[in-house]
Amino acid sequence: MVTAAQPLPAPVLPRAARVRHLGPNWYASVMGTAVVGSAGAALPGHPSGLRGVFAGFWVLSLLMLIVLLAARALHWGRHGDQARAHLLDPAVAPFYGCLAMALLAVGGGAMTAGRPLLGTGPAVALDTVLFTSGTAIGLAAAVAVPYLMPVRHRVEPSQATPVWLLPLVAPMVSAALGPLLVPRLPPGQPRESLLLGCFALFGLSLFATLLMLPLVFGRLITSGPLPLALTPTLFLVLGPLGQSTTATALIADAAPGVVPAPYDRGLGVFAVLYGVPVMGFALLWLGLATAHVVRARRRGMGFAMTWWAFTFPVGTCVTGAAALARHTGLAGYEALAVGLYAVLLAAWLAAAGGTLRGLLSGRLLQGPRPAPVEPAPATGRTRSGAVR
């Protein structure tokens, strides 16, 4: 009797080889978990009973960060050749921005979701260490990766993907989380220096993103949809949008008594004038990215670690909408923050479930496999774009 062929089980890797293909993209899982806690803590009027849930997500992200840092240290120690190859791979090198953002997300989460559990003193100490190290690594990645792209990577315009934004968004995360530490510094120049430093990081990341985003959108328009496995990375564009809206609002919150008048009030006005249109564009991009993901799913897109792109960027839009609700008093932004948080939870469950299954089967720790090929369209197009 003929039976249907069963998929072959994943080979069991030797212990020394289990971390060989552990790339910096894994830090996205830490970011995506931490933001569930911090975005939840930012929701307007959330019940106090949920604080334990938000703290639980933060604790999980902290444990994930510790384990992943240890695994990546082992990776560099035992597989230095592979680690160096990652730096020279244009598809992998931008993910080094995720290391910085993972440190920053866990550190910022300690001040929001984790503080009721840790206490103020330990939360400030932990955030200080993680914010300092994350900001330094983020600035290094924001310079190093764009430098390597023309000098060593030699990329083509058709290779542009939203992944290129990752090292440029890391300073924006610092800009959004640095204001949490401003009140912990001595009054006077220390506070003002940190606050204006965060504003400078906001500008650094914003203008760098504005340089890179047209390349990504132009590639999408002229070369067609992204490969199936990379389609979820379209959600990465939401990161600088939501995070910059959050950054301007938190900088404005910390400004009174730190910067002289009228700049303190001006920062509050800027937070609204900047955040409202940017959040509008974020909702437009959310619809566009969702349509592409639905299309890719219908054409066979399976789980990949790129699914974590559904989490952190959406979380930044939650905090951005919650900040606009606080600054404008509009109930519509409150509803938007709650609705986006529901999307974030669903995205985290999908990404975490797929990652857990992949780890248990061993497939996620294997070397890269050929990506599924999208079926060729049944229709063609003339040079003018008309379907024939």
Side-chain angles (χ1 to χ4, degrees), residues 23 31 39 46 49 54 104 142 173 277 300 311 315 319 340 342 377:
M31 298 159 52
H46 65 267
F54 304 147
L104 292 165
V173 180
T311 55
T319 56
L340 290 173

Side-chain angles (χ1 to χ4, degrees), residues 37-46 54 112 318-319 322-323 326 337:
S38 56
L43 287 175
H46 65 267
F54 304 147
T112 54
V318 173
T319 56
R326 188 172 63 254

Side-chain angles (χ1 to χ4, degrees), residues 45-88:
H46 65 267
S48 58
L50 293 178
R51 292 177 183 171
V53 177
F54 304 147
F57 275 102
W58 175 80
V59 170
L60 178 59
S61 70
L62 176 62
L63 295 176
M64 291 169 64
L65 178 63
I66 294 171
V67 171
L68 194 51
L69 287 173
R72 285 286 295 168
L74 184 64
H75 175 266
W76 273 93
R78 295 188 177 182
H79 307 287
D81 60 327
Q82 183 72 12
R84 288 186 291 272
H86 284 165
L87 278 172
L88 299 179

Side-chain angles (χ1 to χ4, degrees), residues 56-198:
F57 275 102
W58 175 80
V59 170
L60 178 59
S61 70
L62 176 62
L63 295 176
M64 291 169 64
L65 178 63
I66 294 171
V67 171
L68 194 51
L69 287 173
R72 285 286 295 168
L74 184 64
H75 175 266
W76 273 93
R78 295 188 177 182
H79 307 287
D81 60 327
Q82 183 72 12
R84 288 186 291 272
H86 284 165
L87 278 172
L88 299 179
D89 186 345
V92 180
F95 284 101
Y96 275 92
C98 291
L99 167 59
M101 290 187 281
L103 296 171
L104 292 165
V106 174
M111 292 292 290
T112 54
R115 188 165 59 174
L117 184 65
L118 290 177
T120 299
V124 171
L126 179 59
D127 187 27
T128 300
V129 173
L130 294 181
F131 174 79
T132 303
S133 56
T135 299
I137 294 172
L139 287 172
V143 174
V145 175
Y147 171 79
L148 289 172
M149 291 174 74
V151 174
R152 298 297 299 272
H153 296 164
R154 300 297 177 89
V155 295
E156 299 292 334
S158 60
Q159 296 176 279
T161 72
V163 172
W164 289 6
L165 296 171
L166 288 173
L168 307 178
V169 179
M172 188 66 79
V173 180
S174 295
L177 298 178
L180 298 175
L181 290 172
V182 168
R184 310 300 170 183
L185 293 177
Q189 289 210 8
R191 291 186 181 181
E192 186 174 359
S193 296
L194 177 56
L195 189 66
L196 293 184
C198 291

Side-chain angles (χ1 to χ4, degrees), residues 241-256:
L241 303 176
Q243 198 66 280
S244 61
T245 302
T246 305
T248 55
L250 293 182
I251 290 172
D253 290 341

